[in-house]
Amino acid sequence: MSVELVPVLSRAEIEQKVKRLAERVCRDYDKEELVVLGILKGSFIFLADLVRELTIPVQIDFIRLASYGSETSSSGQIQITKGIELDIGDRHVLVVEDIVDSGLTIAYLLDYLKQFHPKSIKVCTFIDKTEHREVQIPVDYAGHVVEFGFVVGYGLDFDEKYRTLPAIYHLKQ
Ligand code: 5GP
């Protein structure tokens, strides 16, 4: 089967968007310390770029969620396969995601994190994909809105492929 990669965002455009997001985050937290919580695996490249643009004190942790569904969409049946390690009680938490699609993963995570009583929780995603949103969740920071399609690159994979591409593409089969 032939696959086509159609450019969505170049490396330079991504860089600009990450810088803008980081400026907003720094302004909003106004020197307060932040726990940046990345969702593995997709967010690790975006998170690495974002935190290096932040000028406020940050601590970093990761959580890994497995969601069972087809290769291109989540089923909403989510399991935590690696939990958080930092104590987020009474701390500001910024959840960093590669892409929000149905919103089910973030909805599950926000609910799960409540038991640790953080001071605040906000959501930062690089791509906000609006077509299949099933639950209303707060997307506090979004780098780029995509209405539909399946995107790869910049941490986003298809069957573990394309993750390391420095730009973002629509995958057309
Ligand atoms: P949600 O629970 O919001 O439907 O799904 C979030 C997860 O689904 C993302 O973290 C990502 O792993 C996967 N996903 C959703 N849409 C896309 C897409 O367009 N491209 C890729 N590579 N993954 C996607």
Side-chain angles (χ1 to χ4, degrees), residues 74 97-105 129 149-151 156-157:
S74 107
E97 176 64 307
D98 50 359
I99 185 164
V100 176
D101 183 16
S102 68
L104 292 169
T105 305
K129 194 164 77 174
F150 192 82
V151 291
L156 290 152
D157 75 311

Side-chain angles (χ1 to χ4, degrees), residues 35-39 61-65 80 82-96 105-124:
V35 175
V36 175
L37 179 63
I39 305 180
D61 202 355
F62 290 98
I63 189 165
R64 182 149 189 212
L65 303 170
I80 294 173
K82 184 221 162 291
I84 54 173
E85 289 166 34
L86 288 178
D87 178 4
I88 59 166
D90 205 29
R91 325 241 340 241
H92 293 296
V93 176
L94 183 65
V95 171
V96 173
T105 305
I106 292 290
Y108 176 91
L109 181 61
L110 294 179
D111 192 49
Y112 170 79
L113 292 176
K114 274 189 207 149
Q115 67 183 295
F116 302 107
H117 306 291
K119 199 185 275 180
S120 71
I121 311 182
K122 284 189 179 183
V123 175
C124 175

Side-chain angles (χ1 to χ4, degrees), residues 71-72 150 152 156-163 171 173:
E71 278 177 327
T72 57
F150 192 82
V152 295
L156 290 152
D157 75 311
F158 174 67
D159 202 14
E160 290 302 325
K161 290 194 282 281
Y162 311 113
R163 222 190 261 291
L171 183 76
Q173 302 199 62

